[in-house]
Amino acid sequence: MTTAQGVPVSDNQNSLKAGVRGPTLLEDFALREKIFHFDHERIPERVVHARGYGAHGYFEATDDLSDLTMAAPLQEKGKRTPAFVRFSTVAGNKGSADLVRDVRGFAVKLYTEAGNWDIVGNNIPVFFIQDAMKFPDLVHSVKDEPDRGFPQAASAHDNFWDFVSLMPESLHMIMWAMSDRAIPRSFRFMEGFGVHTFRLVNAEGKSSFVKFHWKPKLGMQSVVWDEAVKINGADPDFHRRDLWTAIQNGDFPEWELGLQIFDDAFADGFAFDVLDPTKLIPEEELPIRIVGRLVLDRMVDNFFAETEQVAFCTQNIVPGIDFTNDPLLQGRNFSYLDTQIKRLGGPNFTHIPINAPRCPIHHFQQDGHMQVRGPKGRANYEPNSWSQGGPRADARTGFRSFPEPINGEKRKLRAESFADHYSQARQFYRSQTPVEQAHIAAAITFELSKVETSAIRERAASHLPNIDKELARKVFAGLGFANAPKPAEPAVVPVDLPPSDKLSILKNTPASFEGRKLGLLLTDGVDASLVADITSTFEAEGATVEIIAAKVGGVADAAGKTIEAKHQIDGAPSVVFDAVTIVASDDGIAALVASHPARGFAADAFAHAKLIGLAGTAGQLLDAAGVTDRDGGILDLADGVGPFLEVCRKLRFWERVS
């Protein structure tokens, strides 16, 4: 062991003292250095996206897009580009829980030979606001209220809904945020979006518009609200643990990169402005072209050095990619660089290994806090006449902005083409299944029930009839309004758009249990061969099986041999599993029935529409939990493990709650 200066340390247990019981001496430089460094370990957390989790991997092109763009990762089929991805919540601080209702950040850094390219997106394709001028107001409104310091990582309070009620442009995003998209089961089961419209530019300078989509290989899946609340209590690191475990087990998460590519003619003919970040382009209207895959195959070596210090900036693009005039994107391009300089201590944050490009770096930038590259030579400016004069710009290979013609007056205004705030919100809601629509209505009712000021509650609810009258009726009834609020006056009368099935999670379930987790609750005296059959069948599907017992030491099977458990029932509620199986013996069922956590395990599994497998005397536990009806989502394993796996591929038995 040494000090930070490299001096060997003789004693790391005691400080230097004048006498055995005397005062500590300030000359103990090892003590001072250790304490001083400890006092400065924390850096400012991100204002938004503070709680995040990241992993390394690669992007592999599955198509050659050299005809459309010069972007290095898309030039050759099969080409791999190193990548780092950080997932995050938005509103909460670093210590908040994983399964709060919130947007999830989905930020991808590609280390290309032409520099770093950051696709800084979310798991929702639209945003709350149209202009970056309102970003501080939005974030202030959703954060904990300044006079009381709560609620933390929650939008269910007066400030947020006051802001939303006065900013109808937020209503499309509100539909997404109140949907199951805001409580994903796993980072591995959620989509990612670039949100904004960007440009692809090819070697001839021709431009196409593009929107970026990340499609999870394992399909989409979310939890229900009651599960989210209970998971946050049982395991606030649920999403982190899930990603860590999957990668450590070699089950590398994968997403396809899909592009919506279009030209000026499509943009001009589309019903909404492609520069409006509160709007999307339905996939049915503009199909996605799959051009690559993103694979995460390695966790970080040190969380702080990599996940905490990684700096994503929307301005980080490479030749072949360019911005559009989306006003929110333009503001993000300024804000992200500014916040990284503040958070990481200065302009040299690109020297930190996780942020450093993997290509050669040549420029005349110098000095500043934490300058570590130590440029050599006399020339620190350009032009110069020195023989070793340093780098020069290259008009042929360097980044060139697309020469878009610009005209118009310099004014602070909002384009009229941005004025329809309800039509796509209506489209999203009506594209959902009845189960998903019920979840949206329940979420809005819950959120507004936490709003203490009745005028704000009513003003927020007044927007709902412009989206869907039945949705409004459900929320009004849930809030107990004596008189329905007068509908808000829309700037543009909303229109009925065709439903888009791609906007629904449940219309796009993967029909597979791969990547999911089965909770196997056992008692003493069970048949070991049945346990082995369950385990092998589900593992062959690509699922994980985790055994739960009254004690973490496990159970004794019918032959007296120990079956080890991963969880004790008190610490493994059914909410942390995708499906559950209960195997109980004649001798073991009494203790299980007497266990309150076990009865809660069964009751919650039923209430949350989970698939449930039963063997032996396990049905008695369901009876004790008040589950006396045996619907099609509860199967007796006496009929075989295969049929149970087949129904588990549905992921839920929604018929139970619809």
Side-chain angles (χ1 to χ4, degrees):
M1 179 181 287
T2 70
T3 68
Q5 303 296 333
V7 178
V9 173
S10 62
D11 186 334
N12 192 43
Q13 312 304 320
N14 306 287
S15 55
L16 185 66
K17 303 177 184 68
V20 177
R21 300 178 67 248
T24 298
L25 301 179
L26 286 177
E27 70 179 70
D28 188 347
F29 59 87
L31 168 68
R32 295 201 320 275
E33 180 193 88
K34 186 176 182 180
I35 294 295
F36 286 179
H37 193 282
F38 173 76
D39 291 343
H40 292 269
E41 284 180 356
R42 295 294 173 264
I43 64 174
E45 72 174 31
R46 294 166 171 87
V47 177
V48 286
H49 298 277
R51 182 172 179 82
Y53 207 57
H56 294 273
Y58 61 87
F59 171 78
E60 180 179 3
T62 56
D63 201 353
D64 182 341
L65 262 71
S66 57
D67 60 324
L68 293 172
T69 178
M70 295 184 293
L74 301 173
Q75 294 303 292
E76 180 184 352
K77 184 177 179 179
K79 181 178 182 178
R80 289 189 175 185
T81 302
F84 185 81
V85 178
R86 185 179 185 270
F87 305 103
S88 56
T89 54
V90 174
N93 63 26
K94 287 195 298 184
S96 56
D98 276 351
L99 256 168
V100 297
R101 179 177 293 281
D102 200 355
V103 187
R104 297 304 187 282
F106 194 126
V108 180
K109 185 180 290 290
L110 300 176
Y111 301 94
T112 87
E113 63 266 38
N116 289 353
W117 176 18
D118 293 353
I119 305 175
V120 193
N122 291 326
N123 73 323
I124 292 174
V126 294
F127 202 61
F128 291 99
I129 54 174
Q130 296 172 327
D131 194 297
M133 180 66 80
K134 301 309 298 175
F135 190 70
D137 299 297
L138 166 67
V139 175
H140 288 171
S141 76
V142 76
K143 288 280 192 177
D144 43 311
E145 299 190 3
D147 59 344
R148 61 204 67 189
F150 66 84
Q152 168 63 233
S155 57
H157 59 100
D158 289 53
N159 277 11
F160 177 71
W161 285 97
D162 185 38
F163 178 83
V164 166
S165 71
L166 299 168
M167 294 289 291
E169 67 196 61
S170 300
L171 268 296
H172 187 194
M173 181 67 164
I174 284 293
M175 289 297 103
W176 286 79
M178 296 299 110
S179 78
D180 295 342
R181 298 272 186 158
I183 42 175
R185 156 66 177 82
S186 165
F187 298 138
R188 299 178 294 129
F189 306 152
M190 69 183 194
E191 291 184 312
F193 303 90
V195 179
H196 309 285
T197 299
F198 288 84
R199 288 183 183 273
L200 301 177
V201 183
N202 68 12
E204 286 72 45
K206 182 181 177 181
S207 166
S208 304
F209 292 115
V210 64
K211 282 184 172 288
F212 299 106
H213 298 250
W214 299 105
K215 298 284 188 180
K217 178 184 177 183
L218 295 174
M220 293 182 287
Q221 185 182 344
S222 290
V223 302
V224 298
W225 177 243
D226 189 61
E227 282 182 301
V229 172
K230 292 174 178 176
I231 290 171
N232 282 336
D235 185 4
D237 302 308
F238 184 70
H239 282 159
R240 292 183 172 200
R241 193 182 313 277
D242 175 87
L243 185 64
W244 169 274
T245 302
I247 293 178
Q248 296 300 97
N249 289 344
D251 299 326
F252 302 142
E254 183 174 330
W255 291 260
E256 291 180 317
L257 175 61
L259 306 183
Q260 284 182 304
I261 304 169
F262 56 101
D263 58 16
D264 287 284
F266 178 92
D268 293 341
F270 184 55
F272 303 94
D273 198 319
V274 299
L275 301 182
D276 181 352
T278 68
K279 305 298 190 296
L280 55 79
I281 304 176
E283 292 183 36
E284 291 83 356
E285 194 163 348
L286 182 63
I288 285 176
R289 176 178 174 181
I290 301 300
V291 301
R293 66 188 188 110
L294 174 69
V295 179
L296 301 182
D297 59 4
R298 179 169 64 89
M299 293 306 303
V300 300
D301 295 321
N302 182 272
F303 179 85
F304 177 84
E306 297 168 79
T307 306
E308 187 62 23
Q309 290 196 123
V310 68
F312 293 95
C313 300
T314 56
Q315 70 161 36
N316 290 352
I317 56 175
V318 294
I321 306 296
D322 205 355
F323 311 117
T324 62
N325 297 329
D326 176 334
L328 180 61
L329 173 60
Q330 295 287 326
R332 291 180 76 195
N333 288 344
F334 173 84
S335 177
Y336 279 54
L337 176 60
D338 186 51
T339 197
Q340 305 305 353
I341 291 173
K342 166 69 175 178
R343 197 172 62 84
L344 298 173
N348 291 318
F349 64 85
T350 56
H351 296 197
I352 300 171
I354 192 66
N355 296 319
R358 309 285 175 86
C359 61
I361 304 300
H362 306 291
H363 53 63
F364 291 108
Q365 297 170 15
Q366 68 174 32
D367 305 345
H369 286 292
M370 302 300 171
Q371 165 65 254
V372 298
R373 290 191 178 136
K376 299 178 180 179
R378 186 172 186 174
N380 60 353
Y381 59 93
E382 189 273 332
N384 65 69
S385 60
W386 304 112
S387 59
Q388 301 296 319
R392 297 293 187 270
D394 187 332
R396 183 181 59 85
T397 62
F399 179 87
R400 289 172 290 172
S401 295
F402 177 71
E404 177 187 6
I406 300 294
N407 55 50
E409 299 175 340
K410 182 168 64 175
R411 298 174 63 188
K412 279 180 174 280
L413 47 75
R414 191 75 56 93
E416 290 295 326
S417 56
F418 282 32
D420 183 344
H421 304 315
Y422 298 107
S423 294
Q424 284 206 345
R426 177 183 295 176
Q427 181 184 42
F428 176 78
Y429 178 76
R430 293 182 179 176
S431 298
Q432 308 304 301
T433 64
V435 168
E436 291 169 306
Q437 290 180 350
H439 291 170
I440 292 172
I444 296 173
T445 303
F446 169 81
E447 295 260 327
L448 292 182
S449 75
K450 297 295 184 180
V451 173
E452 298 173 352
T453 306
S454 59
I456 295 174
R457 190 185 311 130
E458 293 178 9
R459 190 191 316 127
S462 73
H463 293 281
L464 299 179
N466 293 331
I467 298 171
D468 186 85
K469 288 182 170 55
E470 181 61 18
L471 168 64
R473 186 196 64 76
K474 291 177 181 178
V475 174
F476 293 172
L479 293 172
F481 285 151
N483 298 299
K486 179 183 177 182
E489 189 70 31
V492 171
V493 176
V495 297
D496 291 332
L497 300 171
S500 170
D501 287 347
K502 293 293 187 180
L503 301 180
S504 164
I505 294 175
L506 297 187
K507 292 178 182 178
N508 296 280
T509 51
S512 169
F513 204 69
E514 182 183 359
R516 275 70 183 178
K517 188 189 301 184
L518 176 72
L520 180 51
L521 177 58
L522 305 179
T523 71
D524 288 331
V526 297
D527 180 353
S529 63
L530 175 59
V531 174
D533 188 16
I534 295 169
T535 301
S536 61
T537 300
F538 275 80
E539 288 182 346
E541 177 80 356
T544 300
V545 178
E546 294 184 352
I547 293 176
I548 312 136
K551 298 178 181 179
V552 76
V555 299
D557 67 18
K561 294 183 179 180
T562 298
I563 300 177
E564 294 185 358
K566 183 176 179 63
H567 303 285
Q568 182 180 5
I569 183 62
D570 303 61
S574 60
V575 294
V576 301
F577 303 103
D578 298 294
V580 300
T581 299
I582 306 166
V583 182
S585 67
D586 292 340
D587 295 335
I589 188 61
L592 204 60
V593 166
S595 166
H596 176 71
R599 295 195 303 274
F601 182 95
D604 276 348
F606 182 82
H608 299 146
K610 282 189 164 61
L611 285 307
I612 302 172
L614 302 176
T617 57
Q620 295 180 36
L621 178 61
L622 264 65
D623 294 337
V627 180
T628 55
D629 294 330
R630 300 293 192 264
D631 58 31
I634 302 175
L635 276 73
D636 191 330
L637 297 189
D639 298 327
V641 178
F644 179 58
L645 172 60
E646 183 62 33
V647 299
C648 283
R649 290 175 177 142
K650 296 173 59 177
L651 302 183
R652 302 267 186 177
F653 189 72
W654 290 117
E655 296 90 332
R656 188 181 298 156
V657 296
S658 59

